[in-house]
Amino acid sequence: MARVPAAVMKILRPLPRAPRALAHRYATRRPLPTLELVTRPHPWTRTLGLVTVVLLGAWLGLLIVGNVRVPVGPMNTTMTLRPSVTGGTKINISPLGALQLDSHIAPVRLDVNVDQLDPARAQALVDHPERLSGLQDEVTQDITHGTRDLALRSCVAVVTGATALGLAVYRRPRRALAAGGLALTLLAASGGTAFATWNAESVLEPKFSGLLSSAPSLVGNARSIVTEFDVYQKELARLVTNVTKLYDATSTLPAYAPDPSTIRVLHVSDIHLNPASWKIIASLVDQYKVNVIVDSGDTMDHGTAAENGFLDPIEDLGAPYVWVRGNHDSRVTQRYLEGLKNVHVLDDGKAKTIAGLRFAGIGDPQFTPDRSTVPGGDAANELAGARLATSLRDQKAAGTPVDVAIAHEPVAARHTDGEVPLALAGHVHHQETELLPYGTRLRIEGSTGGSGLRAVEGKHPDPIQTSILYFDRDTRRLQAWDEIELGGLGLTTAEVRRHLVEENQPGTPGSPTPAPSPSS
């Protein structure tokens, strides 16, 4: 066997064993950390996130606690700061509408909600109009005090909201405090901007909405206020008087308080082409949360196709519209309405269930737009009423009884006595209520158009009249109704009179606790 060279044997010799301590050291050594790439958000992204948190937290804080209750003159009000793009001041006077003032330019708006009139303070102004001379100073002091309290409360609300949301999002006290500090800075900047741009003269040029849209006719423009201040004081006194009556009729009669489940029906009639009626109806639908509108006819004046465009706003009133034909509405008018969305035309005793109530109606058999011919007179309407009553009996026999019957003329509506709990009519241009011999209640509506084009034929313009009817959702029976009346073309008065059905009158078994009767 050949010998292996010594040089090769030296190479193949095994390495010596490492000492135990060295081996243990290598065995217990931690692995080298791996290199990770940590991406940090861009500074602008972090800033945008912080600003978003601040704005959202500030808004939530204002929403929860940023309001104060302040007596202003004869009124009890609630003042609130709200985020806004244009700023300004909004005064809500429900259910009349709202006034908007360009009082300042800032990212916050001042909302003032008139909750109610203080009866004692308002009555003192009504009884002593001379006190109006000092009312301006009193109101100024009240608003100053309220604004100071609102500013302090808003600061606390904004800082607290932004800090709390910052802590919830970032979970670091320093970032939360930074959010609170930024919120306070933004609020201070907004307040400074509002103060620098404050326009005290904006109260002379308000923007009106709702039923107050005609209010400029009450107080005139800024020039007339300067030149005829005595007249302005008298008109302001009358406005205070009328608003006092309105709130007296609605807020001091707790005998019937409709709940959210109550079905609210707005009854209108005899609009006679008055375009102002649509704005009034839309405002009432919004303010009273109306579920359905019932129009008992004479919406038009001559019933021509050229007038049909007048009906288009019905689609945007915000509630289903139930309609029957009047003696000034033609078949052309009826066909046009049948093509509009959200409109339900009833005729020949046809019945429909709308908003939880079942309605049936019949159109006026006569068409007399020129008021010179009476083709059938009362006999034609009595025949129409008899056909409607027959339809009501058929509905009852079929197990689908009607809750409300509708006709244009009261002559026809009276024939439904005993067949339906409530009948609605119009035509006579003034409000009436009858309890018919067999138990049917007949509600006759006035002219919601203030008699339209004929408003100025008499010595005084006809008032604009409409009603809110309150129905129990379970029994579908009438519980109460509010008669609303606006004073003619100028809308210089506003009155609401509430009425209860007999079983809900104070003192009747099962009725609410007696309440003081309101003056209307």
Side-chain angles (χ1 to χ4, degrees), residues 352-499:
K352 278 190 176 183
T353 300
I354 304 163
L357 294 175
R358 190 160 181 81
F359 299 88
I362 193 166
D364 197 304
Q366 304 181 101
F367 179 54
T368 59
D370 56 3
R371 297 178 296 163
S372 62
T373 59
V374 185
D378 287 348
N381 277 287
E382 288 177 356
L383 182 59
R387 292 204 310 271
L388 178 57
T390 299
S391 175
L392 295 175
R393 284 191 291 271
D394 293 342
Q395 291 280 340
K396 190 183 300 183
T400 56
V402 171
D403 303 308
V404 182
I406 313 167
H408 177 62
E409 291 216 24
V411 173
R414 289 189 179 95
H415 278 265
T416 66
D417 187 18
E419 307 298 340
V420 68
L422 178 66
L424 302 179
H427 184 66
V428 298
H429 293 193
H430 62 267
Q431 295 175 327
E432 294 181 19
T433 302
E434 298 180 30
L435 192 59
L436 301 178
Y438 294 101
T440 295
R441 187 183 304 275
L442 173 60
R443 276 284 303 140
I444 303 174
E445 192 53 77
S447 173
T448 310
S451 298
L453 300 177
R454 288 176 291 281
V456 295
E457 287 183 354
K459 184 177 180 180
H460 301 286
D462 293 337
I464 290 176
Q465 295 179 324
T466 183
S467 300
I468 304 290
L469 313 177
Y470 301 95
F471 291 81
D472 183 90
R473 186 171 293 275
D474 296 328
T475 65
R476 303 190 303 278
R477 301 297 291 267
L478 182 68
Q479 301 295 302
W481 69 93
D482 289 342
E483 294 180 353
I484 301 172
E485 181 174 308
L486 305 177
L489 291 177
L491 301 182
T492 54
T493 63
E495 293 184 0
V496 176
R497 297 180 294 273
R498 173 158 294 178
H499 303 269

Side-chain angles (χ1 to χ4, degrees), residues 132-178:
L132 287 171
S133 59
L135 182 61
Q136 181 176 353
D137 294 336
E138 179 185 346
V139 169
T140 302
Q141 293 176 1
D142 292 339
I143 292 178
T144 301
H145 176 71
T147 305
R148 188 184 304 115
D149 290 348
L150 179 62
L152 180 60
R153 183 183 289 262
S154 298
C155 287
V156 175
V158 164
V159 173
T160 302
T163 303
L165 187 61
L167 187 61
V169 172
Y170 297 112
R171 301 182 182 277
R172 286 190 288 176
R174 290 185 62 182
R175 296 299 296 274
L177 292 176

